[in-house]
Amino acid sequence: MMKIVSVSGSPVSAEVEKDYANAPAFDKLRIGNTGVFFPSGFRMSYIPYDSFDCSYVKVHDTKARMCCATTGFEYFRIVFMSGEKCIGDYLSEDKEAMQAALDQLRISAPGIQVGLK
């Protein structure tokens, strides 16, 4: 299993590791009972629910030029905010997975403001 560290950099407890193992996955993001987990380099970052108060999905439109045409891509970034400060984010190409992650977050952490920005 990948090493899990909190966003503060400290190792996590065995209870948090068990939460990760049982958490539903949305792309590579997991929404657990105690917090969220997402890959960050060679580690899995963990943000406990009491560390953030707002989460939303930000849509990034990107245009790509090719030899004979241009095309557009959309990326979806789920952001975790504590007040005005971003304490973590996860980028995905899967819109449905990010929307499902927000839906699960509403269930797992009803005190956190969840929306689409």
Side-chain angles (χ1 to χ4, degrees):
M1 180 164 68
M2 190 179 285
K3 183 176 181 178
I4 302 170
V5 295
S6 70
V7 289
S8 64
S10 59
V12 298
S13 67
E15 178 184 314
V16 171
E17 288 182 1
K18 185 177 178 183
D19 187 27
Y20 169 79
N22 296 322
F26 306 91
D27 198 4
K28 293 182 182 174
L29 171 76
R30 290 180 182 235
I31 306 291
N33 293 323
T34 62
V36 297
F37 304 87
F38 56 92
S40 179
F42 294 109
R43 296 179 176 178
M44 187 62 66
S45 288
Y46 167 69
I47 306 175
Y49 290 135
D50 61 2
S51 297
F52 67 101
D53 53 19
C54 176
S55 183
Y56 59 89
V57 171
K58 192 173 189 177
V59 179
H60 297 275
D61 288 321
T62 305
K63 301 241 185 272
R65 291 184 184 199
M66 296 180 273
C67 63
C68 55
T70 60
T71 188
F73 297 97
E74 286 186 328
Y75 294 97
F76 305 91
R77 182 180 303 272
I78 190 166
V79 180
F80 306 101
M81 303 287 291
S82 178
E84 296 295 315
K85 182 180 178 189
C86 176
I87 59 170
D89 65 331
Y90 174 71
L91 184 68
S92 175
E93 294 180 17
D94 190 341
K95 179 180 182 178
E96 289 77 23
M98 294 302 95
Q99 187 57 55
L102 286 181
D103 294 341
Q104 182 63 44
L105 190 56
R106 283 185 185 96
I107 295 166
S108 297
I112 293 176
Q113 182 182 356
V114 177
L116 192 64
K117 207 173 199 181

